[in-house]
Amino acid sequence: MQVTKLSFKDQILEGIPGTLPQPKPYDSSINHAPKRKAILSSEEKKLALRNALRYFNKKYHEVLLPEFKDELDTYGRIYMYRFRPDYKMCARPIDEYPARSKQAAAIMLMIQNNLDYAVAQHPHELITYGGNGGVFSNWAQYRLTMKYLAEMNDEQTLVMYSGHPMGLFPSHKEAPRVVITNGMMIPNYSKPDDWEKFNALGVTQYGQMTAGSYMYIGPQGIVHGTTITVLNGFRKIGKSPKGNLFVTSGLGGMSGAQPKAGNIAGCITVCAEVNPKITQVRLDQGWIDEKITNLNELVERVKKAKADEETVSIAYLGNIVDVWEKFDEANVHIDLGSDQTSLHNPWAGGYYPVGLSFEASNDMMANEPEKFKEEVQKSLRKHADAINRHTEKGTYFFDYGNAFLLEASRAGANIMSNNPELGREFKYPSYVQDIMGPMCFDYGFGPFRWVCASGKPEDLAKTDEIACNVLENIKKNSPQEIQQQMADNIQWIKGAQENKLVVGSQARILYADAEGRMKIAEAFNNAIKKGDIGCVILGRDHHDVSGTDSPYRETSNIYDGSRFTADMAIHNVIGDSFRGATWVSIHNGGGVGWGEVINGGFGMVLDGTKEASSRLKQMLFWDVNNGISRRSWARNEGAVFAIKRAMEVEPNLSVTLPNYVDDDLLETI
C-alpha cells in the first residue's frame, strides 16, 4: 500500500501525527548539541519520560518509551527526533503558511527561520545559538505550536510556557497573538544546575535572547552592533582600523558576526574557533575570508596583513588561549582584544579549555563534568594571564558580554581591579560600559530589525532604500550629540546589500533611536499600503536600550546601584503587550547566563493598515523611552539629554528627572 506524502500545509495542520512516523536516523553531518550531563535521579528520569509521553496517545507509549529513554541516556535530553518534520526548515513567503490570521502566519515564518539549517547552531535539537538557546525543547512542542498558529484567529492569544504551547485563549484584536515566557524560575531555583535539571525534565528551557522569542535573524542580527563596537573601540584608542588588529573568539551563533564586522570596519580580524563544522560553515557563507590551522602560519599571515594594511578576516581553527600566548611570544601587537565564547554556558559547550581537543572536551563534559569544570577554570586563568601580558603592552581589551570576566573571576583569574568601584570591579570594562552604553543605549540607539515577509530580496532592497532616506532626512535636523550615531547608521545601511548580510530570511538590522524606528516603520507601512512591498515584521534584539536588565552587560553602565534589579525589562514587556505588539516575550537568561539576566522582546507585523500605524507609534515610542528614562534616573548624562528631548517632542510624556548632589557635600559626612 502506497503512503501518500502530506503537503507542507497539511503537515502543519496535522500537528502531532495521528500515526507514528518512522524513526529518523541520527544525521552526523549536522552540527549537534553536545551531550548534556546526567543530572536526574532514577525517579526523576521516570518523571522526564512521563512528561514527554503526555504529548502522545497512550497507544504509542509502549513504542516511544524505550526510544525516549535512549535519547535521555545518550544525549541528556528527550528531543523526540522521530517527530522532526520531513519538509525543509526555512522561512517561507508568508502566503505559503496555512493560517487564518496574517499575524500568526508571520510568527510561523519567524519560528521556521530560527530553525533554518543556515541559521540555527544545532537545528535537530531546536537550538538556535549560544549552545543552549532553544526555540523549543522537543519536536512535539514545535508541531503543536505550528498547528495552534495555523488555527488561531485574531481574537485569540497563544500562551507559551518555556517552549510548551499551553493553548489558545480568548482575547481581542489589539492583544498580542502570542505571549512567551522562557525559564521564569523562582529565584532560588535559578542556578546553572537548576537549568540542567528542569530542562532535562522537560518543564523549562533557556530561550537565550532572540531564539525563544522567534526573532533571531542569523549572525547579521549582531553584526551591526559589533561593527559599531569595533569602530568605536578604535576611536577610543585613537587609531584607524586600517592595518590594525582585532583578536577575539567564537564563530558559533551571534559570535559568528565578528569577522564580518571587522571587515566592514576595515581592520584585520583574527577569530579563534574550536568547532571545525561551524568554522567551515562561516567560511562557506563568506563570513570569514580565510581559515588557518597552524599558529606559525597565522603569525606570518598577520604580520603580512599588517605590513600591507589589509582588511581581512582570518579564522584560526583552534583554541583562543593558544593565539593570545603565541602572539605574545611572537611579539604580534594586538590593538583591540575581546572574547565572545558562550561563557554564559561554561560547562556545557560554551567554552572549550586549552590543551584538550574538541572531541575530548565533548566527551569529558558529558562523562566527567566536575573534571571538565576544573579544566575550564584552569584555562580561564591562563586565558586571563595571556590577556594581561598583552594589555601591559598597550592592547585595549573589553569583555564582549558573554560573561568572560564574570566566569574568569569565579575561576580565580587575575582579572579583578586593584581599585574596585561600584560597577567597576574588573580590570577591563564590558563593551557596554565604555562603548555601547554611553555612545548608543543612553541616547536610545539600539538594534532595530525587520523581516520582509514576502521573502523577496527586492523587497529588502526597497526597505533599505526607504530606511536610508528616512535617516538622511532625520540627520539634517538632529542635534550634534547624535550626529556620529546617525552618520554610522547611514553608512551601514548604504553598505548592507554589498556586504551580503542575509542568512535565512530577508532581514535587516539597523541601530536606530525611537524617532528613527517610528519614522522608518511608518514609511514601511505606507509602502505596504501602496503595494510597493509586502508585509514587514518588526523586532529587535533584546540587547537594547530597555529590553534587558543585565548587570554585566546591557545595564553595566548603570551606577546608582540598581543594575541588579529587573523592573525595566518586566515593564518593557508589559508595556509592549498593551501598546500593540504582535507577540511579546520575557526570559530568564540570555547572553550572560541563566540566573544572570532578565530580558524581554517583541515582534510586530506591519500590514499597511491604519491600525498598524497607530500601534507602531505607541509601542516603539514606549519600547525605547522606557529604557532612556531608567538610564536618566541613574544620572547617565546622555540619557538625561535624550529623555528631555523626548519630552519636548511628546507632550504626554512626563518623566521624573534626577537632582544632582554636590560631591563636596558628600565628603563632609
Side-chain angles (χ1 to χ4, degrees), residues 251 269-272 279 288 290-293 298 313-317:
L251 285 172
T269 304
V270 171
C271 190
T279 305
I288 51 176
E290 302 172 19
K291 179 177 74 174
I292 292 176
T293 59
L298 180 66
S313 56
I314 304 163
Y316 172 67
L317 182 55

Side-chain angles (χ1 to χ4, degrees), residues 204-215:
T204 195
Q205 72 171 13
Y206 191 87
Q208 248 292 347
M209 301 188 83
T210 50
S213 295
Y214 322 146
M215 191 42 73

Side-chain angles (χ1 to χ4, degrees), residues 255-321:
S255 56
Q258 294 177 107
K260 173 67 81 172
N263 279 5
I264 296 170
C267 64
I268 303 159
T269 304
V270 171
C271 190
E273 171 60 58
V274 296
N275 186 332
K277 283 183 181 175
I278 198 61
T279 305
Q280 190 61 43
V281 165
R282 296 298 180 226
L283 187 64
D284 294 342
Q285 289 174 340
W287 286 71
I288 51 176
D289 298 323
E290 302 172 19
K291 179 177 74 174
I292 292 176
T293 59
N294 179 277
L295 281 170
N296 291 324
E297 183 184 341
L298 180 66
V299 167
E300 294 308 311
R301 181 66 187 92
V302 169
K303 286 181 177 179
K304 182 179 185 302
K306 279 176 166 279
D308 297 343
E309 293 192 334
E310 291 182 60
T311 295
V312 64
S313 56
I314 304 163
Y316 172 67
L317 182 55
N319 198 288
I320 184 60
V321 181

